[in-house]
């Protein structure tokens, strides 16, 4: 089974990057299953139904998310209707949407679990470690692969989580910081791990947005209008191939002028 796991895709620049790069990536890596994080798809903030449909056409199997999933109010109307769209599973139980799904592909069953960290996130979430245990106990006998998008700010929390689920999850990859980390590895019990896959979107940007207003925000402490940056594009992803007991992985980075 060949996976392409993509981090936060930022606004129109990110969507255009996907459109330009995916045909080439599909040709080279022949993925069976593609996941993207869609929390920043619509103007950098949240996701709309229109954008969901636009992205769905590209052959994406699952869209995970994070704290920004709630930014466009229409999400509350359609998140329950889209089994391919996930929000972090450790939001309290009364929150709309689902935190994991089981998807059938080429005769295999793949669970995708979306979780969010609690360190520096400022959101009263349930414990992502114990939430994983709960979901794992429910699904472990029903699936062939377990893919976890761990959306978090603190590298230490993501790192600890990787070791906590080592041997239970197939892959744990981080999202949310938008900056790729160069620490991809196979943990001792064969879980593939990376702290952050990095963004897909504008290369010359502050985590995907125009640097000018971001700098102004840091200089003044005042709220700013954050626009999605344009120009040179970057695509970041993790490729993982699991073939019986063989594991291959590769960090992919493609720049387009
Ligand atoms: Fe993000
Ligand atoms: Fe986020």
């Amino acid at each position: 089974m060949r996976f392409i796991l993509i981090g936060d895709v930022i606004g129109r620049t990110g969507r255009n990057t996907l459109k330009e790069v995916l045909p080439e990536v599909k040709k080279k890596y022949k993925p069976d299953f593609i996941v993207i994080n869609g929390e920043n798809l619509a103007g950098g903030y949240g996701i709309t139904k229109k954008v969901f449909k636009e992205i769905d056409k590209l052959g994406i199997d699952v869209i995970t998310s994070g704290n920004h999933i709630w930014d466009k109010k229409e999400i509350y109307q359609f998140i329950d209707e889209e089994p391919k769209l996930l929000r972090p599973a450790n939001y309290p139980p009364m929150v709309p949407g689902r935190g994991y799904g089981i998807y059938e592909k080429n005769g295999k069953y793949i669970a995708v679990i979306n979780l969010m960290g609690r360190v520096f996130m400022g959101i009263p979430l349930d414990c992502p470690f114990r939430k994983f245990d709960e979901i794992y106990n429910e699904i472990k006998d029903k699936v062939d692969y377990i893919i976890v998008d761990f959306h978090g700010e603190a590298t230490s929390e993501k790192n600890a989580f990787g070791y906590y689920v080592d041997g239970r999850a197939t892959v744990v990859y981080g999202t949310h910081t938008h900056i790729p980390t160069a620490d991809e590895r196979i943990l001792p019990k064969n879980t593939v791990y990376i702290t952050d896959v990095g963004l897909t979107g504008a290369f010359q940007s502050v985590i995907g947005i125009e640097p000018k207003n971001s700098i102004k925000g840091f200089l003044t402490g005042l709220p700013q209008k954050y626009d999605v940056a344009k120009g040179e594009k970057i695509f970041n992803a993790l490729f993982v191939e699991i073939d019986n007991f063989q594991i291959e992985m590769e960090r992919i980075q493609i720049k387009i002028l």
Side-chain angles (χ1 to χ4, degrees), residues 1 3 145 166 169-171 185-193 238-250:
M1 184 68 61
F3 298 93
Y145 305 97
D166 185 17
T170 314
V171 184
R185 72 188 87 161
I186 299 170
L187 302 177
K189 294 178 190 160
N190 286 339
T191 294
V192 174
Y193 173 83
L238 183 70
F239 167 70
V240 180
E241 179 175 15
I242 316 254
D243 184 10
N244 295 324
F245 296 101
Q246 277 280 97
I247 305 170
E248 300 277 339
M249 68 178 155
E250 184 186 328

Side-chain angles (χ1 to χ4, degrees), residues 8 39 67-68 151 176:
D8 304 52
E39 71 156 4
N67 51 310
H68 284 296
H151 196 78
H176 177 73

Side-chain angles (χ1 to χ4, degrees), residues 131-164:
K131 181 50 85 172
F132 176 86
D133 293 341
E134 194 187 307
I135 298 169
Y136 179 76
N137 289 333
E138 262 168 51
I139 64 168
K140 64 176 193 278
D141 299 327
K142 300 177 195 159
V143 299
D144 300 289
Y145 305 97
I146 298 176
I147 307 297
V148 182
D149 172 346
F150 194 100
H151 196 78
E153 184 75 29
T155 51
S156 57
E157 189 179 19
K158 295 180 191 179
N159 220 167
F161 180 83
Y163 282 96
Y164 182 67

Side-chain angles (χ1 to χ4, degrees), residues 66-233:
N67 51 310
H68 284 296
I69 185 66
W70 315 111
D71 291 355
K72 298 278 186 286
K73 293 306 161 216
E74 62 178 271
I75 188 70
Y76 292 90
Q77 284 142 29
F78 77 90
I79 195 164
D80 284 324
E81 299 157 18
E82 292 292 350
K84 288 169 84 167
L85 180 58
L86 303 178
R87 49 85 174 151
N90 51 326
Y91 269 101
M94 67 285 277
V95 171
R98 70 207 83 208
Y100 72 95
I102 297 174
Y103 308 90
E104 201 253 315
K105 203 71 189 269
N106 304 339
K108 298 283 187 190
Y109 290 91
I110 301 156
V112 180
I113 305 174
N114 196 182
L115 288 165
M116 189 148 74
R118 296 193 292 185
V119 179
F120 304 133
M121 296 298 285
I123 302 169
L125 298 166
D126 295 340
C127 173
F129 291 65
R130 281 183 280 267
K131 181 50 85 172
F132 176 86
D133 293 341
E134 194 187 307
I135 298 169
Y136 179 76
N137 289 333
E138 262 168 51
I139 64 168
K140 64 176 193 278
D141 299 327
K142 300 177 195 159
V143 299
D144 300 289
Y145 305 97
I146 298 176
I147 307 297
V148 182
D149 172 346
F150 194 100
H151 196 78
E153 184 75 29
T155 51
S156 57
E157 189 179 19
K158 295 180 191 179
N159 220 167
F161 180 83
Y163 282 96
Y164 182 67
V165 303
D166 185 17
R168 294 190 287 164
T170 314
V171 184
V172 173
Y173 65 102
T175 59
H176 177 73
T177 70
H178 299 190
I179 301 292
T181 56
D183 64 334
E184 74 277 14
R185 72 188 87 161
I186 299 170
L187 302 177
K189 294 178 190 160
N190 286 339
T191 294
V192 174
Y193 173 83
I194 188 166
T195 300
D196 208 299
V197 180
L199 67 80
T200 286
F203 179 58
Q204 297 293 357
S205 68
V206 175
I207 65 167
I209 60 151
E210 280 294 341
K212 212 176 83 192
N213 287 359
S214 173
I215 294 168
K216 209 170 154 195
F218 282 107
L219 286 173
T220 62
L222 297 173
Q224 302 294 321
K225 187 177 177 289
Y226 294 113
D227 298 316
V228 171
K230 295 175 185 153
E232 196 179 351
K233 303 183 190 85

